[in-house]
Amino acid sequence: MNIRKAEISDSKYIAPILLLAMEDIIYKFIAKKDYAAAKDFLEYFIERDNNQYSYQNCFVAEEDNEIIGAVNIYNGSELKVLRSPIVEYVQATFNPEFDPEFETQPGEFYIDSLGVNPNYQGKGIGSKILRFLIAEYVHKNKQTLGLLVEEENPLAKSLYLKLGFKVVGEKTLVGKKLDHLQISPN
């Protein structure tokens, strides 16, 4: 398995994989529970520069020239700027009242979403992607990584804790209460 920075041509493969991790949130963004519309929304932003979900902020895991996993990560201090095009689009297209909470902040690189193709789940792909990010950001570049996990997802939380993340608080995002975890350089 190879993990690399995403390219614009990867967008159509990244969207359905990341949507696995954020389906409910995107449904709240677009104000309807419509998988095709949610995938199109996400792909629209992944294939564009300078926004929260841009391919520029993604890594992909591939095996035999197939993208089997993807992760979206960015500097928390850039969230307001990166989210701006998304908020403007959602307000103009779906929900004029849209004003989501900030799920990250300066001082951490935020793992916004991580997904694995369903055909490859349960094979340690997500763990390998997380270990790659920890090696790259925490050990090599001495940065703090942060992420949010739903209280109803104890398996994911258990994995994060096993990899060295620690609970540092709680956050709310589009009405959902989430645990905020971080891992920092020693």
Side-chain angles (χ1 to χ4, degrees):
M1 183 180 77
N2 178 45
I3 299 173
R4 63 169 173 80
K5 278 294 271 180
E7 299 168 0
I8 194 168
S9 59
D10 300 326
S11 300
K12 67 182 174 188
Y13 306 106
I14 295 170
I17 291 172
L18 290 185
L19 191 54
L20 292 168
M22 55 195 309
E23 203 168 337
D24 290 344
I25 289 172
I26 299 298
Y27 290 158
K28 288 189 179 189
F29 281 24
I30 65 172
K32 59 184 169 182
K33 196 169 185 172
D34 178 335
Y35 178 84
K39 187 177 78 54
D40 290 347
F41 170 86
L42 206 48
E43 188 176 331
Y44 175 84
F45 283 104
I46 292 169
E47 66 189 13
R48 282 168 176 68
D49 293 348
N50 305 316
N51 74 79
Q52 180 176 3
Y53 303 124
S54 174
Y55 70 93
Q56 297 167 313
N57 300 319
C58 293
F59 287 91
V60 295
E62 59 184 359
E63 195 164 83
D64 299 325
N65 294 317
E66 180 183 1
I67 293 175
I68 60 173
V71 63
N72 175 233
I73 180 171
Y74 46 84
N75 189 329
S77 66
E78 298 173 4
L79 177 60
K80 187 173 183 179
V81 170
L82 291 173
R83 179 178 279 165
S84 180
I86 292 162
V87 170
E88 290 170 12
Y89 182 85
V90 170
Q91 287 175 341
T93 312
F94 301 106
N95 177 3
E97 306 299 314
F98 183 72
D99 185 22
E101 305 87 342
F102 288 113
E103 67 260 42
T104 184
Q105 68 275 328
E108 72 178 7
F109 274 79
Y110 178 63
I111 302 171
D112 187 296
S113 52
L114 185 156
V116 175
N117 177 315
N119 298 331
Y120 293 88
Q121 290 177 357
K123 298 180 180 184
I125 307 296
S127 296
K128 288 177 184 170
I129 293 170
L130 286 166
R131 285 187 182 96
F132 168 82
L133 294 174
I134 291 167
E136 194 67 26
Y137 286 87
V138 180
H139 300 306
K140 184 176 172 188
N141 293 314
K142 306 296 182 213
Q143 300 289 339
T144 295
L145 281 177
L147 55 81
L148 299 179
V149 63
E150 294 181 26
E151 294 173 343
E152 309 88 53
N153 196 346
L155 286 176
K157 185 175 178 179
S158 174
L159 170 64
Y160 302 142
L161 295 173
K162 189 173 95 178
L163 291 172
F165 285 84
K166 294 184 177 11
V167 177
V168 297
E170 289 182 347
K171 299 260 184 184
T172 302
L173 181 61
V174 291
K176 268 191 171 185
K177 203 165 137 183
L178 305 154
D179 286 330
H180 182 203
L181 283 69
Q182 288 184 333
I183 184 170
S184 299
N186 296 337

